[in-house]
Amino acid sequence: MNETSVRTDAPGPEAIEVAWRHVQLARHPQRPRTLDLIPHIFTGFFELHGDRAFGDDPAIVGGPALLEGRPVMIVGHQKGSDTDSNIARNFGSPYPEGFRKAQRLMRLADKLGVPIVTFLDTAGAFPGPAAEERGQAEAIASSIKLMTGLQVPIVVVVLGEGGSGGALAIGVGDVVLALENSVYSVISPEGASSILWRSRDESRVAAAAMRMTADDQLELGVVDAIIPEPGEGAHTDPAATGRAIRQAILGALRELSGRDTAELLGRRYARLRGMGAYLETGAASSRLPEAPSLRHRIGRILRLPGVPRRPRWSEIWPSADDDAETERGA
């Protein structure tokens, strides 16, 4: 982005409602997922499984396909459409083996010289102990690193939720497209509200303050174009949604096809480096902030008995110099 976009005013009631409506549509249980849209966009799709190290993660799907007769590699998140399928797909939240499977497919595409198309639709990577034990952070970081250096065009499409590192792990692209009612953010509104206001009650305010809607992301330069949705949303006509996505992907690949490898990688790097803007918001909570009582604040200043003072860093983690001084004093 050429200029830093800063919001100094709090989002109004209308902006809050608009943002929350987009969040609800992005999470709609009947919203078409990656496997629902593939038949409307590609032909000859053949799903590949496993990361060749641990196992297969059903929260990420992928494999080769044809786009108007030309080969591409598909990688995307996959949620379910009901309780049972969501449990089977882990609600679209990948484990490390899911990201490593994505890396395997992307390396194959790079070796064969075919473009990569990724679909983002996850609330985030799975945060459980098993995922952390198998190297969740490393898997996300290595996937991002890999995508920055792939020598084939990469087109990213945000289908529903684009949440946190789970989305970014397969979201580094030359062109990033977003469906009209999709959302893209560093954290969920509920997570942001829990951190900032110590409650999930301000999720609507957080959604507006983070500017996570497709329109906001386009204005900030995070996405390059918005794909319109039919009717009241993509869930009303998956076939029409798929056709719109196909045309957008074809247009992006036509634009990228004229670039040589050096230009492709240079522009990709510049695109990522250009994302440094941040927002200052005046979003206020309806809840009063919790603060120490006046007695505690005065007591800490005056070091009154019965009021705990804040420990010094040297008391928590003594240095070698402190030990030596103690020995000399003894």
Side-chain angles (χ1 to χ4, degrees), residues 85-99:
S85 59
N86 265 316
I87 292 174
R89 298 282 181 181
N90 202 35
F91 293 84
S93 295
Y95 281 87
E97 52 267 28
F99 297 121

Side-chain angles (χ1 to χ4, degrees), residues 25-328:
L25 284 171
R27 295 173 174 175
H28 196 285
Q30 299 305 316
R31 192 170 181 83
R33 313 301 184 189
T34 299
L35 291 179
D36 299 323
L37 292 169
I38 283 176
H40 301 295
I41 305 172
F42 308 97
T43 58
F45 173 66
F46 186 85
E47 185 176 356
L48 300 177
H49 298 272
D51 66 344
R52 295 186 176 175
F54 182 85
D56 183 50
D57 186 353
I60 284 189
V61 298
L66 297 175
L67 179 61
E68 292 201 348
R70 297 181 179 180
V72 296
M73 182 66 73
I74 303 169
V75 178
H77 299 105
Q78 180 63 31
K79 291 182 178 180
S81 57
D82 53 32
T83 302
D84 291 339
S85 59
N86 265 316
I87 292 174
R89 298 282 181 181
N90 202 35
F91 293 84
S93 295
Y95 281 87
E97 52 267 28
F99 297 121
R100 291 176 181 134
K101 174 171 67 172
Q103 293 175 50
R104 179 171 79 87
L105 299 182
M106 290 188 284
R107 286 193 184 97
L108 178 59
D110 195 44
K111 180 180 180 180
L112 299 175
V114 300
I116 298 170
V117 180
T118 70
F119 296 102
L120 311 187
D121 190 14
T122 182
F126 186 70
E132 298 299 335
E133 289 170 359
R134 299 201 288 272
Q136 185 71 287
E138 185 279 333
I140 293 173
S142 60
S143 185
I144 294 172
K145 178 183 177 182
L146 173 68
M147 295 188 78
T148 60
L150 292 173
Q151 299 184 26
V152 295
I154 306 172
V155 178
V156 178
V157 183
V158 186
L159 297 180
E161 287 184 280
S164 192
L168 188 58
I170 62 170
V172 179
D174 301 295
V175 175
V176 179
L177 309 170
L179 282 178
E180 180 181 356
N181 293 309
S182 65
V183 293
Y184 202 13
S185 64
V186 70
I187 192 173
S188 68
E190 293 82 2
S193 176
S194 297
I195 292 172
L196 296 176
W197 289 287
R198 302 293 189 269
S199 168
R200 294 166 62 95
D201 297 341
E202 304 296 334
S203 299
R204 294 169 179 260
V205 177
M210 289 193 294
R211 302 188 66 182
M212 60 193 300
T213 68
D215 288 331
D216 286 331
Q217 294 293 290
L218 179 65
E219 181 182 344
L220 294 172
V222 178
V223 304
D224 300 298
I226 296 176
I227 304 172
E229 298 184 21
E232 296 299 318
H235 61 281
T236 62
D237 194 342
T241 303
R243 289 192 296 270
I245 293 174
R246 183 178 69 238
Q247 293 305 315
I249 294 173
L250 285 169
L253 289 177
R254 278 193 295 267
E255 178 186 349
L256 296 172
S257 62
R259 301 177 186 175
D260 58 26
T261 302
E263 183 184 6
L264 188 72
L265 295 179
R267 285 176 175 262
R268 188 184 304 164
Y269 177 79
R271 185 183 189 281
L272 294 173
R273 292 291 292 175
M275 294 182 190
Y278 61 91
L279 303 178
E280 293 181 357
T281 72
S285 169
S286 58
R287 297 162 54 91
L288 293 175
E290 297 180 6
S293 66
L294 181 61
R295 183 182 74 85
H296 274 74
R297 282 181 284 164
I298 295 176
R300 283 177 178 172
I301 295 172
L302 301 180
R303 299 186 179 181
L304 298 177
V307 178
R309 66 178 179 84
R310 297 176 181 175
R312 296 178 179 176
W313 173 244
S314 60
E315 295 172 347
I316 300 172
W317 193 269
S319 66
D321 294 339
D322 294 333
D323 295 338
E325 187 67 29
T326 301
E327 291 176 2
R328 286 195 294 271

